Amino acid sequence: MSQKKPQMQVEQKVPENIVKKTARDTKLREAVAKRRTERLAANKTRRAQWEKNAQAYENEYKAADKSLIDNIRKAKSEGGFYVPAESKLILVVRIRGINTLNPQVRQTLRLLKLRQLHNAAFVRVNKATIEMIRKVEPYVTYGYPSRAVIKNLIYKRGYAKINGQRIPITNNNVIEQQLGKVGIHSIEDLIHEIVTVGPNFKEANRFLWAFKLRGPRGGFIAKRKSFINQGDWGNREDLINDLVKRMI
Amino acid sequence: MTSVPLVSVFSADDSSKVTAKHIPLPAVFQTPIRPDIVSFVHTNIAKNRRQAHAVNPQAGMQHSAESWGTGRAVARIPRVSGSGTHRSGQAAFGNQCRKGRMSLPIKVWRRWHRRVNIKQKRHAAATAVAATGIVPLVLARGHRISQVPQIPLVVEDKIESYEKTTDALNFLKRFGAFEDVQKVVSTKVVRAGISKQRGKKYRVRKGPLVVYFNENAKLLKAFRNVPGVEVVNVTRLNLLQLAPGGQLGRFVIWTQSAFAHLDKLFGTYRYTSIIKDGYQLLRPLITNPDLARIINSNQVQEKVQPAKTTKVLHEVQKKNPLKNSKAMDRLNPYAKKQRAAAVAAIKANTKGTKKIKKNKALKKASRAAYNKVAASLNDATKAAVQEEQDIKVKYFSVQKGAAQTE
């Protein structure tokens, strides 16, 4: 308690610890500030690009609609019929629960990402997937989704699978992180990829978690019967849109 | 370490006078504080003062009780034999029985004492001595030392020749130790429990411990009657006194020669102890306790990774972009323009149309038209309506009549 005190200098010396720490802290703060300005500048250019892309897609969709109408009119005027190309995209909705399922059906539903009642998922149309859907037909209803339905599904019910976790798509960083390398940077890019079934549809669809829809307002007709037989399961082509609108 | 902590020796008569300045602290005060060792050693050593006791081996068993066996609608516990008294037929022997012997009766050959390794005992004593030099520990133990001039308190050997208790009291008052004694006096309470009938009526706190060196010192008698004060020779330092209850930090008053003897007793970090043959004080785990300096040193900071920031990928709550325009704009900057365009389109479509107002003239005209239609009902309808009305009237009049006659 009573130590021998050497003759102290009057000048105040700052302890070495504090000098070092303040130097470190200022350096860190500067780095953070620099990162922030860089990030904000980058964000600005990114947002401009998103806007540009979204506008381009809007024009593309308008052009597609217009060309469809023009073709129909042209065919009509020539006395023929215009048959538009079959849809490349199917929206599958699971309408049966989990009990007493045939194991093959169970596995196929799992492969289609339909693990739960009222789950919906996009599926590309090809021989393989058609066969899969045929296998599970009595347990699902499916059809060709319209652009509006696709858009609404992704905006309202869009969740991403990131590291095995279900992450809500609340901003475009979520999309950029996973799909940036295949050229999908914003939600409109994603929607466009799904709608047009583009070259990176696989990545885009894999990125999406299955849509968890609510039960349809107004109900089903009869899930035990096929749609063709005044029921619900199976292919209902464009009428899937009415159903899904009631389920979103 | 070039600088050594130093201690002053105070004059016995005047607490402001220092007889010897700047005596180096004995090495034992530098040992690391090891409450774990002290607590272990204390719990064992405290058992060594116990005297054997036991219950009467025959207690509860002085019956010829036997179990009645099964078939008599009673429990199978042994029952007291005989008749003619309440006691007969009552349960006996079992620990659960009234007047039965206890379970596992205490035997005198219970292992009352514990041996502790000498090294552990020595380490504990050294730590306890070191703790007496640390003010926060002594305060935490509950000693009232705010007026004491120095911790550790070293006083010249004069106090070893005190014979009168008044001298002792005045000495304590002079050095601010009397507050601790007063604490002992004021907190003396009658002990709870039956020990009060067995010779331990009061629970008394511990006050200062006075440590002396010379064997023929008379201070024992002087300090003996002061409540709470204990006196001990430095060669016989007791962990039970240095850390009562296993709690480090007793308030100790050293005499100068006792203080000087500590280096011989416990040794230093350069030399092992002479008296405790070959005993070496515990070395601390880390030699540089200045953690802040270590952490902020260049060697450590070079290797250290930058602090992790909680990087949030997505907003905590998902808002529906179809309803929440802010959420929508975050995702799709073009949406703002689309909304504006939609509003403009509606405005363009409704351009030139007046706002629909309630047209009173129209309303009047439509009412007139309706009445005209009603008036021009064809006769068949009219007749049918009239007939219905007649029937109604007839019905009601019949009822009236019926009521009157009955």
Side-chain angles (χ1 to χ4, degrees), chain B residues 143-215:
Chain B
H143 291 290
R144 311 291 190 255
I145 53 167
S146 54
Q147 302 303 321
V148 174
Q150 180 189 266
I151 294 283
L153 181 59
V154 189
V155 182
E156 59 174 348
D157 288 347
K158 194 147 171 246
I159 68 165
E160 288 186 4
S161 58
Y162 283 167
E163 288 187 42
K164 304 289 283 175
T165 308
T166 35
D167 293 338
L169 276 176
N170 288 331
F171 160 75
L172 291 172
K173 283 187 182 136
R174 254 179 270 126
F175 280 88
F178 194 62
E179 212 188 320
D180 211 23
V181 172
Q182 280 176 317
K183 170 201 85 178
V184 170
V185 171
S186 65
T187 57
K188 182 171 170 184
V189 282
V190 171
R191 193 185 293 263
I194 214 139
S195 332
K196 65 169 148 313
Q197 297 168 13
R198 296 178 179 174
K200 293 189 197 164
K201 185 164 184 202
Y202 295 104
R203 269 185 67 186
V204 177
R205 304 269 184 95
K206 297 278 185 201
L209 176 72
V210 181
V211 181
Y212 67 97
F213 181 55
N214 294 312
E215 280 303 341

Side-chain angles (χ1 to χ4, degrees), chain B residues 46-61:
Chain B
K47 294 174 183 170
N48 291 344
R49 219 176 143 250
R50 296 193 293 185
Q51 289 184 338
H53 62 269
V55 293
N56 188 337
Q58 300 159 350
M61 298 300 282

Side-chain angles (χ1 to χ4, degrees), chain A residues 112-163:
Chain A
L112 292 166
K113 295 201 280 186
L114 306 172
R115 282 173 182 260
Q116 192 182 27
L117 183 59
H118 302 148
N119 273 9
F122 293 119
V123 180
R124 192 208 300 262
V125 172
N126 56 39
K127 176 80 165 107
T129 58
I130 289 170
E131 293 295 319
M132 284 167 81
I133 291 167
R134 189 171 297 158
K135 232 187 161 64
V136 300
E137 229 164 5
Y139 304 89
V140 302
T141 179
Y142 62 97
Y144 315 128
S146 69
R147 222 171 30 238
V149 160
I150 296 172
K151 170 178 161 258
N152 285 356
L153 274 173
I154 293 179
Y155 271 116
K156 186 169 181 191
R157 301 277 181 183
Y159 284 73
K161 184 169 83 166
I162 298 177
N163 282 339

